[in-house]
Amino acid sequence: ALWCLMMSLTPTRGCLLDLPWEDILIPHILCHVPLQQLLSLQRVSKSFQSLIQLYLANMRCFDSSQIGPAIPQAAFVNLLRDSKVLQQLALQNCSSWLTDMDLLPILWRNHHLHQIQLKGCVRLSRSTLVSISLNCPNLRQLSLAHCDWVDSLSLRSLADHCKALEAVDLTACRQLKDEAICYLVQKCSRLKSLSLAVNANVGDVAVQETAKCCPELEHLDLTGCLRVKNDSIRVLAEYCPKLRSLKVKHCHNVAESSLSILRVRGVELDVEPPLQRALVLLQDVVGFAPFINIQI
């Protein structure tokens, strides 16, 4: 679309670059062009290179996946070298090489970030999370899934400084125990979505404290949390009236006796009720679903 616009602006009609850059081109045209194409546009001329650099400096959202399956480290540093107004930052495609040295300067310059996605960025350290907490006071959503470097001290710093958090993904952050989760939910009571999945150290204490401190909670992922039991699910049902989905697959100590309370309310669960599971298994065996009269 951008190339067609360039071609339509003949010398007699004017050039695309003659349009006001910051008033027209950047907010109304370039924002609709895929980032990968914008980077290619830089090679057209020095003027276009200057335009794209100005666009990058004023970019509100950066998602590394828009560039391709992998982005070189040098290209990443160059792209965000002048950024100061980022609001959304997604770097899952940089997970193989991204370090504190690459990310910290970006965090120091961009104080308006409210969404950060660092899923699988295993080469970072607690310094990144501390820097996020100190530089991003308006943070609303944060994904740290599969970041083993997240520990209780850095999470406490996040809780102390980012109290407006609404969604946190701590999937497979295996250093975290109940105490750290309790501190987080006590400070961040606006949480609507929380994932504690794949963490054998998380148990009833953390889940019950989450329920009592976060009345706005809508989504909770406890997949594979082996220490969670029925009592926690009952507390969730009591204290979280807005709960819409709960994942408890592979939580072997959670039974239908507690889940049924949430089923009646229409909460989406990732575990089927016992009778339905039995019917599915029977259908697989005999090839059809039998009629069963369960009237009492």
Side-chain angles (χ1 to χ4, degrees):
L2 180 60
W3 181 255
C4 292
L5 179 60
M6 290 171 57
M7 297 303 294
S8 68
L9 292 171
T10 63
T12 57
R13 296 178 182 176
C15 173
L16 176 69
L17 295 173
D18 291 338
L19 295 173
W21 288 14
E22 296 187 66
D23 294 331
I24 301 296
L25 284 180
I26 290 177
H28 298 294
I29 297 179
L30 297 189
C31 63
H32 299 293
V33 181
L35 184 57
Q36 192 170 24
Q37 293 184 20
L38 289 178
L39 299 182
S40 299
L41 190 61
Q42 288 187 105
R43 297 193 290 269
V44 173
S45 68
K46 290 184 178 180
S47 295
F48 273 108
Q49 183 179 20
S50 298
L51 171 62
I52 302 306
Q53 286 298 323
L54 181 62
Y55 170 81
L56 294 172
N58 289 276
M59 188 165 46
R60 299 292 196 274
C61 175
F62 179 82
D63 186 344
S64 62
S65 64
Q66 294 181 1
I67 300 176
I71 173 174
Q73 183 178 17
F76 170 80
V77 173
N78 182 61
L79 286 174
L80 297 180
R81 68 187 182 195
D82 299 320
S83 63
K84 294 182 181 179
V85 293
L86 280 173
Q87 296 179 2
Q88 302 176 37
L89 183 63
L91 302 178
Q92 59 269 31
N93 281 28
C94 308
S95 59
S96 62
W97 53 260
L98 188 69
T99 66
D100 293 343
M101 187 178 298
D102 304 310
L103 184 55
L104 290 182
I106 298 170
L107 297 174
W108 294 336
R109 292 194 306 269
N110 292 273
H111 302 289
H112 302 287
L113 281 164
H114 57 76
Q115 293 183 26
I116 300 178
Q117 164 68 264
L118 298 176
K119 180 180 179 181
C121 294
V122 296
R123 300 188 63 183
L124 298 173
S125 76
R126 67 165 63 167
S127 297
T128 285
L129 191 51
V130 172
S131 183
I132 289 174
S133 65
L134 296 178
N135 292 283
C136 307
N138 301 314
L139 194 63
R140 298 289 189 275
Q141 300 179 25
L142 176 63
S143 175
L144 299 169
H146 303 282
C147 292
D148 266 338
W149 45 268
V150 177
D151 59 12
S152 59
L153 290 177
S154 57
L155 193 69
R156 287 175 71 93
S157 178
L158 179 73
D160 285 334
H161 297 93
C162 299
K163 298 180 181 179
L165 278 167
E166 296 180 355
V168 180
D169 188 346
L170 298 173
T171 298
C173 293
R174 296 183 178 90
Q175 289 196 55
L176 300 177
K177 299 181 180 179
D178 281 349
E179 293 79 9
I181 304 302
C182 289
Y183 193 87
L184 173 69
V185 298
Q186 289 166 2
K187 296 288 185 175
C188 303
S189 58
R190 300 182 190 177
L191 281 176
K192 296 181 180 179
S193 177
L194 177 63
S195 176
L196 304 174
V198 199
N199 192 333
N201 294 318
V202 170
D204 288 338
V205 173
V207 176
Q208 292 182 23
E209 192 68 13
T210 298
K212 295 175 181 178
C213 294
C214 303
E216 302 296 315
L217 192 67
E218 297 179 3
H219 308 282
L220 180 61
D221 190 347
L222 300 174
T223 304
C225 294
L226 304 178
R227 295 176 54 221
V228 174
K229 302 181 181 64
N230 284 324
D231 288 345
S232 300
I233 306 304
R234 294 190 180 96
V235 174
L236 277 171
E238 180 180 357
Y239 285 91
C240 298
K242 297 183 180 181
L243 192 66
R244 294 167 52 193
S245 70
L246 174 65
K247 295 183 179 181
V248 289
K249 188 173 288 185
H250 307 303
C251 295
H252 304 305
N253 293 314
V254 174
E256 185 62 24
S257 58
S258 59
L259 293 176
S260 60
I261 305 172
L262 295 171
R263 288 191 199 279
V264 172
R265 284 172 32 189
V267 175
E268 179 183 346
L269 302 172
D270 63 344
V271 176
E272 295 176 343
L275 178 59
Q276 185 173 348
R277 289 203 301 270
L279 289 176
V280 170
L281 291 174
L282 185 58
Q283 183 176 2
D284 291 340
V285 173
V286 303
F288 66 93
F291 173 77
I292 297 179
N293 190 339
I294 58 173
Q295 291 183 353
I296 299 176

